[in-house]
Amino acid sequence: MRRFVVVGHRAVTTPKFSLNDLPGGAGRMDIIARCVNASLFLSHDLRRDVEFFAILLGEPTPPVTIKFSGEHVRYLSPDERSPAALIKKALERGIPVEGEAEATPGVYISKRSFADLINGMDNLVYLHEDGEDIRSVELTGNETFVLSDHQNLTPEEEAVLEAKGAKKVSLGKKLYHADHCIVMVNWETDRR
Amino acid sequence: MRRFVVVGHRAVTTPKFSLNDLPGGAGRMDIIARCVNASLFLSHDLRRDVEFFAILLGEPTPPVTIKFSGEHVRYLSPDERSPAALIKKALERGIPVEGEAEATPGVYISKRSFADLINGMDNLVYLHEDGEDIRSVELTGNETFVLSDHQNLTPEEEAVLEAKGAKKVSLGKKLYHADHCIVMVNWETDRR
């Protein structure tokens, strides 16, 4: 199972956001939506061996973790509004007292924080410009790739990754949007 | 100059479409919008050495060609609505009697067809699963990469490319969305 974890530092944790204003009122939820697309879509197919996690850290009740399962997700289209609408539905369903709840098929909501999530995972890869070049790195297909949105990971978030021994891996000298990074990682993994 | 040409077989040629329904009423304009993003965006920067062309073939008055210049474009954000809104503005401006007109900074509209456009270009690359692997192909940074939307190029469109000696180049055995293909091509070119 390949996993992508994206931190949405301002992505809202209320369902009361407009699908017509994902960048503004929803706290750059457009980035999260594009990352869902990049993680899960092939042409006329879904990547069933991929899971995507968004950690929403915006107001009013952070953190909230939303998981998309490539194997189980339904009602997902590639346009930005579609994953955003599924996130909205998950937030409408609300956070379960414990564990995670399936809000719509293949979309799950929980109260997990970044540290909760990362501490439960192995084979962590932190995509970072100072890391080892991805084309020289061994990839088993069982990695969890961690990315940030338009803001860098905080020192506290980086410390969580470091404590878990996450490997720093680079995509090159240019800096890319998170969704573009995910496309590159999926492509690189496809070619191994 | 690197160029991307994407054919929107059903993408509408009227400005009377809703930014809230790009996949449906606008004829998969969401695909075109994501391709603009994939062509032009770096993190906190634009690719100033890239031009993007969308050929809109939907009703009511096809063809219409919209060009985005990475060097000159303004008011462009990465979310899907933003490039779609600039295309809408270009269609509102209307098609000039001859040549191309700048509708908003760095966004141009013309009546050119796929054949008109391709016949004026050189170093053509047709991204196709039967082509030579891109990682083995020489790239000068002056190629024009041609892609289709969710439908394949028609035999007539393929004939135009063949007559111009377009080189078939493959991204691998899996089939990808057009915007993901553009991310891969940009990444591959960055690494040369």
Side-chain angles (χ1 to χ4, degrees), chain B residues 10 27 41 45 48 57 71-72 79 86 94 99-100 106 110 113-115 133 139 144 153 179-180 185 187:
Chain B
R10 293 198 301 112
F41 276 100
D45 203 1
R48 294 172 207 286
L57 296 180
E71 188 177 356
H72 299 293
D79 62 298
L86 292 175
E100 66 180 9
S110 70
S113 67
F114 180 74
D133 181 14
L139 295 175
T144 295
L153 288 187
D179 57 315
H180 296 178
V185 169
W187 187 39

Side-chain angles (χ1 to χ4, degrees), chain A residues 15-172:
Chain A
K16 292 178 186 159
F17 64 85
S18 166
L19 295 175
N20 300 341
D21 184 22
L22 298 176
R28 298 310 309 272
M29 195 69 83
D30 62 310
I31 298 175
I32 303 294
R34 286 196 296 281
C35 288
V36 173
N37 170 322
S39 298
L40 299 184
F41 276 100
L42 288 167
S43 185
H44 306 294
D45 203 2
L46 285 171
R47 292 184 180 273
R48 295 173 206 286
D49 57 342
V50 173
E51 286 180 344
F52 172 84
F53 297 80
I55 299 158
L56 315 181
L57 296 180
E59 294 300 321
T61 53
V64 171
T65 290
I66 307 283
K67 179 174 92 181
F68 284 75
S69 156
E71 187 177 356
H72 299 293
V73 70
R74 292 187 63 187
Y75 316 124
L76 179 66
S77 310
D79 62 298
E80 282 173 19
R81 291 171 68 95
S82 171
L86 291 176
I87 291 170
K88 192 176 164 84
K89 278 199 178 142
L91 290 166
E92 277 164 0
R93 189 257 173 234
I95 296 156
V97 176
E98 57 182 42
E100 66 180 10
E102 188 168 11
T104 56
V107 181
Y108 309 82
I109 183 168
S110 70
K111 188 63 194 163
R112 282 178 291 185
S113 67
F114 180 73
D116 293 338
L117 191 70
I118 295 301
N119 286 330
M121 290 176 163
D122 291 310
N123 300 319
L124 288 156
V125 175
Y126 177 20
L127 290 173
H128 193 285
E129 60 267 31
D130 294 336
E132 188 181 343
D133 181 15
I134 193 168
R135 294 200 185 177
S136 313
V137 169
E138 192 187 346
L139 295 175
T140 64
N142 287 311
E143 286 82 10
T144 295
F145 296 89
V146 182
L147 304 91
S148 195
D149 57 356
H150 62 303
Q151 301 177 8
N152 291 331
L153 289 187
T154 64
E156 293 74 19
E157 288 159 351
E158 287 192 323
V160 171
L161 287 173
E162 200 172 334
K164 282 286 291 186
K167 186 181 182 73
K168 273 193 187 174
V169 169
S170 164
L171 294 164

Side-chain angles (χ1 to χ4, degrees), chain B residues 3 16 23 31 49-50 80 96 110 132 147 150 164-165 181 189:
Chain B
R3 296 186 172 94
K16 292 178 187 159
I31 298 175
D49 58 342
V50 173
E80 282 172 19
S110 70
E132 188 181 343
L147 304 91
H150 62 303
K164 283 286 291 186
C181 293
T189 310

